[in-house]
Each structure stands twice: as C-alpha cells, then as structure tokens.
Amino acid sequence: MTEQEQSELIEEARKVFAGPIAFLKSAPDLKFLPDMAVNEVAFAGRSNVGKSSLLNALTGRNSLARTSNTPGRTQELNFFDVGEPLRFRLVDMPGYGYARAPKDMVRKWRFLVNDYLRGRAKLKRTLVLIDSRHGVKEVDTDILDMLDAAAVSYRIVLTKADKVKASHLAEVMEKTAQAIRRRPAAHPDIIATSSEKGMGLPELRAAVLESVTQG
C-alpha cells in the first residue's frame, strides 16, 4: 500500500469510527450469537491488558466497553455495531489469564472462545493485545495457538506504549515480531498503541477497516 493509499484509508477509518457505534448484545454462549450479517473484528487480550480502555479510545467513547477493577469479570462475547447502515461489528472477547479465576470459568472461556473462533465465518481478523511493558507471555501463546489452529488471521497490538521508554518499546516490538514470525495465521506488522495518548489509534482504525473490507 502506498503512503497516499494509507492516508486515504486512515481518513476513511476516522470518519467511520466517528459515526454511529452501538452495543448490540452479549453472548455468554454460542446460541446467543447474533446473525452473521456483516464482517467482524475481535479483540482478545489478558484480563489486565487495557482492552476496554483501547476499545473506548478507538471509538472515541468513554463507556462503550465496560472497564472493570476486577480482572476476569467479563466472560461473554460483547458485540458492537459500527455504522448506519451497519458496516461491520467489533467483538470484545472475554479476557484471559486471570490467575485467580476458578477452573470452571477458565474451562468455559476456552470452550466459548474456541467454538467462536472455529465457527465464525464472518470473523475476518482478531487483534491480540499485548502489554508493551511485558511482551508476549506464556499465557498469550495459548490464544495464539488457538488462532493458528482455527486458521483465523490475527495481528498483534501493543498496549500502554506510553508507559515504556522508546528503546524498550523497540525491543519488545522486535521480540514480538520474532515470536510470531513462524506462526501461520499471524499478520507480520505490529501496531503500538496508547489509549491515554492516542498513539497508534489512527493506524489501528485503518487496520480494522482494511480487514473487514478486503475480500
């Protein structure tokens, strides 16, 4: 993609995300999933990675996604409609890796997420959020393995990039790139973001729009 095309995509994405975005429904089980009317982009990440904050910053809304002081509370797939008429959907997946989560909750999470990933034909990409301060941890490789097995395209998004020095961020980006290099479903490009500072958000909006419009 040329610089001109990227600039045009970023501007189009800005307009889309500035338009109507609304919570559709929560699905604690596959039987509650909405009809596959449009393409979807899912957001996955550890319970304390800042997923809700990023979703709110991405959409320019303070309370679109619920932020919780209790990690691991949300154990549902939350769907958001983007555009009017409807253009695509954002899917907030339940956070993973909360150490104090009961085993039955962890098992339920695995079944729900795995079944969604494998059976959702309209899921065009999953954005896997990784904390810039820590990089890819063992608990993150579990979801990456699930995505590879389900043949669902995914892209790594680093969060809280404003919390680390530029040298550390560059190091984490390089290590993350190495970690996903041989993974079959991984997008090679990584986006570093900050919900607080707005860093990387225009590029992330463009990446979402590109993934739902291609093919």
Side-chain angles (χ1 to χ4, degrees), residues 11-53:
E11 176 59 17
E12 184 184 357
R14 183 193 66 78
K15 291 178 180 177
V16 170
F17 277 88
I21 302 177
F23 172 73
L24 174 63
K25 68 182 301 185
S26 293
D29 192 271
L30 291 186
K31 63 184 178 184
F32 297 106
L33 293 179
D35 292 339
M36 289 191 282
V38 290
N39 290 336
E40 298 170 353
V41 173
F43 290 72
R46 293 203 303 272
S47 297
N48 57 352
V49 77
K51 183 155 51 67
S52 295
S53 297

Side-chain angles (χ1 to χ4, degrees), residues 132 158 161 163-175:
S132 294
L158 297 178
K163 307 294 186 186
V164 298
K165 293 180 179 178
S167 56
H168 177 81
L169 181 60
E171 183 181 329
V172 169
M173 289 189 76
E174 176 56 31
K175 286 183 177 179

Side-chain angles (χ1 to χ4, degrees), residues 16-199:
V16 170
F17 277 88
I21 302 177
F23 172 73
L24 174 63
K25 68 182 301 185
S26 293
D29 192 271
L30 291 186
K31 63 184 178 184
F32 297 106
L33 293 179
D35 292 339
M36 289 191 282
V38 290
N39 290 336
E40 298 170 353
V41 173
F43 290 72
R46 293 203 303 272
S47 297
N48 57 352
V49 77
K51 183 155 51 67
S52 295
S53 297
L54 185 65
L55 270 166
N56 289 335
L58 192 69
T59 58
R61 287 144 175 94
N62 292 329
S63 57
L64 185 76
R66 291 181 303 174
T67 54
S68 172
N69 292 325
T70 309
R73 185 186 71 170
T74 303
Q75 291 299 313
E76 303 169 331
L77 295 163
N78 293 306
F79 290 80
F80 302 91
D81 285 347
V82 179
E84 201 173 280
L86 179 61
R87 293 189 61 161
F88 59 90
R89 287 189 176 124
L90 304 177
V91 186
D92 184 7
M93 295 171 65
Y96 58 83
Y98 181 48
R100 284 180 281 179
K103 287 185 178 179
D104 61 333
M105 182 182 286
V106 175
R107 188 164 55 247
K108 180 184 177 187
W109 176 89
R110 284 195 66 89
F111 280 127
L112 176 63
V113 170
N114 204 33
D115 288 349
Y116 170 72
L117 293 177
R118 287 182 175 277
R120 200 67 173 172
K122 288 290 188 178
L123 176 60
K124 292 302 178 182
R125 179 157 294 157
T126 296
L127 300 171
V128 181
L129 277 48
I130 302 292
D131 194 319
S132 294
R133 298 171 297 182
H134 310 303
V136 177
K137 295 294 187 183
E138 186 176 342
V139 69
D140 297 309
T141 61
D142 192 29
I143 188 73
L144 300 185
D145 289 343
M146 291 170 72
L147 288 160
D148 283 329
V152 173
S153 171
Y154 60 91
R155 187 166 182 170
I156 302 295
V157 177
L158 297 178
T159 63
K160 306 179 184 182
D162 60 305
K163 307 294 186 186
V164 298
K165 293 180 179 178
S167 56
H168 177 81
L169 181 60
E171 183 181 329
V172 169
M173 289 189 76
E174 176 56 31
K175 286 183 177 179
T176 304
Q178 290 176 7
I180 64 171
R181 191 159 288 147
R182 297 180 186 275
R183 289 184 170 274
H187 190 291
D189 296 333
I190 299 164
I191 302 176
T193 66
S194 165
S195 300
E196 288 187 18
K197 306 294 185 182
M199 173 184 174

